[in-house]
Amino acid sequence: MHEPVKSPSAIADRTREAIRNTGLPQREISKLTGFEESKLSKSLRGTRKFTSEEIVALATVTGVTANWLITGSDSAPAPSAAPSPGTLPARHREDEKHAQRRRSIIKRAWWLFAQQGFAAVRMADIAKDVGISTPSVHYYFPTKQALFAETLHYSVKLAYDRQVAELQPISDPVSQLKRLIELQLPLGLEGRAEWSIWMQTWTKLAVNEEGLDTHSGGYRRWVTTVREIISGGQATGHFVDHDPSILTAELTAMFDGMGIQVLTGQLTSSQMFANVCGYIDRNIIKKQGATP
């Protein structure tokens, strides 16, 4: 179940601003986000709370971050570490029409790269999928590699938005850590697509391809999020008193390896989740009655 997020009136004000800046009518925003226009209208009036799922959808469609919608800042303190500069989709000085078209190109390229692989996708394929000309795609992204790099930034934003919106209502560090793991599983079309983009990025980096220099910042954000949740749980006595960096390195290495096994058909996502939670239970959660 998706927990409602707090401060509905403030979120409504920022959501109206974000929608206004897209230049799209409310009914189009409702269509793109996939939730009923009547519910959107009530939430925008402040008479209904947005769910965390809706916050993520609105952030994706409008191009702002979920953290901005919730707090008014991209980098306000949150359960998920804020992305470092250059790891989110780039913002440009352009009107709403061009900004929306740029987001459409990135999203469709993200899906095509994830499903078919970088080498198999042509810029003409992306143009056809968006419904524009190939030169129009090149206007925004001069090379396919530059566009692929932006799809990695898009993946970082999706994960950040989802984590901020979903983890914010959870106060228990054990539940928070396990929910974080659940949110990042290669589950469903979108979850597998995110993993596909990351796996292709790792492959490119392994053979020293250029143009993906922001990869380390995006991955470091994930590691920092895990470590901060573990450190917070240690401070409240929920987690064992071991070096949080070591626990984080072990947990993320296990998570990455099992994610690859899921994508290659060796494990199911539910098996992966059970295995990772088992590691957390055995090695991170402090046993009842244990002394520091």
Side-chain angles (χ1 to χ4, degrees):
M1 176 181 289
H2 297 281
E3 293 290 336
V5 293
K6 299 176 181 179
S7 307
S9 59
I11 293 173
D13 290 342
R14 287 188 285 271
T15 301
R16 282 195 295 272
E17 179 181 346
I19 291 174
R20 186 166 56 250
N21 289 341
T22 67
L24 296 175
Q26 186 172 308
R27 69 175 66 89
E28 184 65 17
I29 293 292
S30 179
K31 178 181 176 182
L32 290 171
T33 52
F35 54 90
E36 296 176 13
E37 189 173 354
S38 61
K39 289 185 177 180
L40 177 59
S41 296
K42 290 178 181 178
S43 297
L44 291 175
R45 291 197 300 269
T47 59
R48 172 187 177 273
K49 291 182 178 180
F50 285 109
T51 66
S52 53
E53 184 179 47
E54 291 166 349
I55 288 290
V56 173
L58 286 163
T60 301
V61 168
T62 61
V64 301
T65 66
N67 206 8
W68 184 84
L69 288 175
I70 294 170
T71 68
S73 169
D74 289 337
S75 57
S80 181
S84 58
T87 56
L88 292 177
R91 294 183 179 180
H92 301 265
R93 300 177 69 88
E94 56 191 5
D95 61 25
E96 295 87 349
K97 177 182 177 181
H98 285 290
Q100 190 64 31
R101 177 170 287 183
R102 186 184 297 275
R103 285 194 290 272
S104 296
I105 292 170
I106 294 170
K107 182 177 181 179
R108 295 315 306 166
W110 183 79
W111 278 113
L112 289 173
F113 288 145
Q115 294 170 343
Q116 300 178 25
F118 177 81
V121 177
R122 303 171 303 161
M123 294 291 261
D125 299 325
I126 297 166
K128 182 179 179 180
D129 206 53
V130 178
I132 58 177
S133 67
T134 303
S136 293
V137 176
H138 282 289
Y139 171 81
Y140 296 96
F141 303 97
T143 66
K144 189 169 73 165
Q145 181 70 359
L147 179 51
F148 181 82
E150 201 66 7
T151 65
L152 177 60
H153 299 166
Y154 180 74
S155 287
V156 172
K157 183 180 184 300
L158 286 175
Y160 177 53
D161 287 340
R162 187 169 58 244
Q163 291 163 15
V164 167
E166 293 280 357
L167 298 179
Q168 185 261 354
I170 303 174
S171 57
D172 173 58
V174 175
S175 299
Q176 199 174 70
L177 182 58
K178 290 185 176 181
R179 182 59 176 149
L180 172 65
I181 295 301
E182 186 178 22
L183 290 171
Q184 295 309 118
L185 291 172
L187 179 64
L189 291 176
E190 188 168 283
R192 293 182 70 90
E194 279 189 40
W195 272 85
S196 176
I197 295 297
W198 278 103
M199 283 186 65
Q200 291 181 63
T201 300
W202 294 335
T203 301
K204 287 173 171 291
L205 289 169
V207 294
N208 297 315
E209 286 194 30
E210 298 180 352
L212 296 167
D213 51 335
T214 57
H215 158 269
S216 59
Y219 190 78
R220 187 164 54 247
R221 192 204 69 78
W222 156 248
V223 171
T224 300
T225 297
V226 174
R227 187 175 61 247
E228 288 181 350
I229 291 176
I230 290 175
S231 296
Q234 290 175 327
T236 58
H238 288 83
F239 295 150
V240 296
D241 189 23
H242 295 328
D243 186 336
S245 294
I246 293 176
L247 293 175
T248 299
E250 292 175 349
L251 179 58
T252 54
M254 180 184 188
F255 185 80
D256 292 344
M258 287 193 174
I260 293 171
Q261 290 181 30
V262 172
L263 261 66
T264 54
Q266 308 306 307
L267 281 178
T268 65
S269 56
S270 59
Q271 289 171 328
M272 174 183 173
F273 185 55
N275 289 342
V276 177
C277 286
Y279 172 85
I280 292 171
D281 291 339
R282 291 188 304 272
N283 298 284
I284 297 181
I285 297 176
K286 182 179 288 187
K287 307 300 186 292
Q288 287 188 350
T291 57

